[in-house]
Amino acid sequence: MLLRYSALISYLVLRASGFVVTDPATVWNQLQPGWNVGNTLDGIPNEDSWGNSPIQAQTFDDIKASGFKSVRIPITWTHHFATEAPDYTIDPTFLARVETVVDQALARGFWVVINV
């Protein structure tokens, strides 16, 4: 099972410079240690619904200073659709917020793993 996920990681890694294709072992080593930005963008219905404050740039500064190399950003899309089937358009405000958070992490040199 780990091999299957490792192969997936090797094709879906996003860095500030763009997508990078590399072997799974190299990616795994470069991701360590990682930090989870949970209970925010995966909160239902809003980023602060589960008791955490919205993600701020300072948060990424602090975890970078602590030696972390990657961040996992879980995102729940289901409560952020602006339209229903068949298009399922994501609310532009929420999508812009996701982009801001990801850009903040990338600007600090983190590897970013987005859970969908």
Side-chain angles (χ1 to χ4, degrees):
M1 181 120 113
L2 179 59
L3 180 59
R4 187 174 351 152
Y5 290 118
S6 296
L8 179 64
I9 289 172
S10 69
Y11 291 104
L12 299 179
V13 174
L14 176 63
R15 293 291 311 239
S17 59
F19 286 97
V20 177
V21 177
T22 187
D23 68 279
T26 299
V27 172
W28 183 256
N29 289 329
Q30 292 177 349
L31 291 171
Q32 303 302 317
W35 191 74
N36 182 43
V37 189
N39 298 333
T40 52
L41 293 176
D42 54 338
I44 298 171
N46 299 311
E47 187 174 357
D48 59 356
S49 292
W50 293 348
N52 286 344
S53 300
I55 303 165
Q56 299 178 25
Q58 182 64 45
T59 303
F60 292 118
D61 293 335
D62 293 344
I63 61 175
K64 186 71 169 182
S66 297
F68 291 93
K69 297 178 184 176
S70 65
V71 292
R72 173 184 168 261
I73 305 173
I75 303 166
T76 299
W77 303 98
T78 55
H79 294 311
H80 300 285
F81 291 121
T83 64
E84 295 295 323
D87 298 328
Y88 291 106
T89 304
I90 298 169
D91 174 52
T93 302
F94 183 72
L95 193 56
R97 176 64 180 146
V98 170
E99 183 177 26
T100 296
V101 170
V102 171
D103 286 349
Q104 288 172 346
L106 290 173
R108 286 154 180 81
F110 283 109
W111 288 82
V112 175
V113 177
I114 297 174
N115 284 102
V116 183

